[in-house]
Amino acid sequence: MKAKDIEEQIINHYRQEENMMILVFAQWCMNHNLDPAELYLKAYPDQLDNPSLGQAIELTVPKEEAGPIEHETVLGVLSLFGNDDLAFIVTQEIDKMKNNKKS
């Protein structure tokens, strides 16, 4: 295999993994009645349009049909890809959920 082919495979694999991370985030949002695009925009206000996020949102299912996604899972996949700003926003939403349960 040529070095160029290996490089392309690595890039394609990374993109697939990144798309899976975005889908986990989007489905987690849907499961908690949150708008993934709105949260994403809070984290990255300069990125008004993210085609990958749009595609992931289209792939989500209603929360009644989805399996649960733990808070730690979504935070873990976000941190794996260095999405610290988005993880911060997600953490704020998790804190809100926990505070609402206490009330």
Side-chain angles (χ1 to χ4, degrees):
M1 213 184 246
K2 295 180 183 177
K4 181 77 172 160
D5 293 336
I6 293 171
E7 182 180 328
E8 285 180 25
Q9 281 185 340
I10 292 170
I11 291 169
N12 286 336
H13 182 71
Y14 181 84
R15 284 186 185 139
Q16 289 172 347
E17 294 291 320
E18 186 178 42
N19 287 337
M20 183 57 66
M21 176 268 305
I22 296 168
L23 181 58
V24 168
F25 163 72
Q27 188 62 58
W28 176 86
C29 289
M30 297 299 194
N31 290 358
H32 294 283
N33 299 316
L34 299 168
D35 181 348
E38 182 181 318
L39 292 187
Y40 187 87
L41 195 56
K42 284 182 185 178
Y44 304 108
D46 295 334
Q47 296 181 24
L48 296 176
D49 183 38
N50 182 318
S52 296
L53 179 60
Q55 291 172 347
I57 291 170
E58 289 178 15
L59 294 173
T60 60
V61 296
K63 68 180 181 179
E64 298 79 23
E65 296 176 25
I69 299 173
E70 299 295 326
H71 299 323
E72 294 79 16
T73 300
V74 73
L75 290 172
V77 295
L78 290 173
S79 69
L80 278 174
F81 285 86
N83 284 312
D84 297 332
D85 294 338
L86 189 53
F88 178 77
I89 297 299
V90 167
T91 300
Q92 288 180 327
E93 292 299 324
I94 292 168
D95 289 343
K96 286 180 193 176
M97 288 177 215
K98 288 178 181 177
N99 288 334
N100 286 339
K101 283 185 179 181
K102 291 179 184 177
S103 301

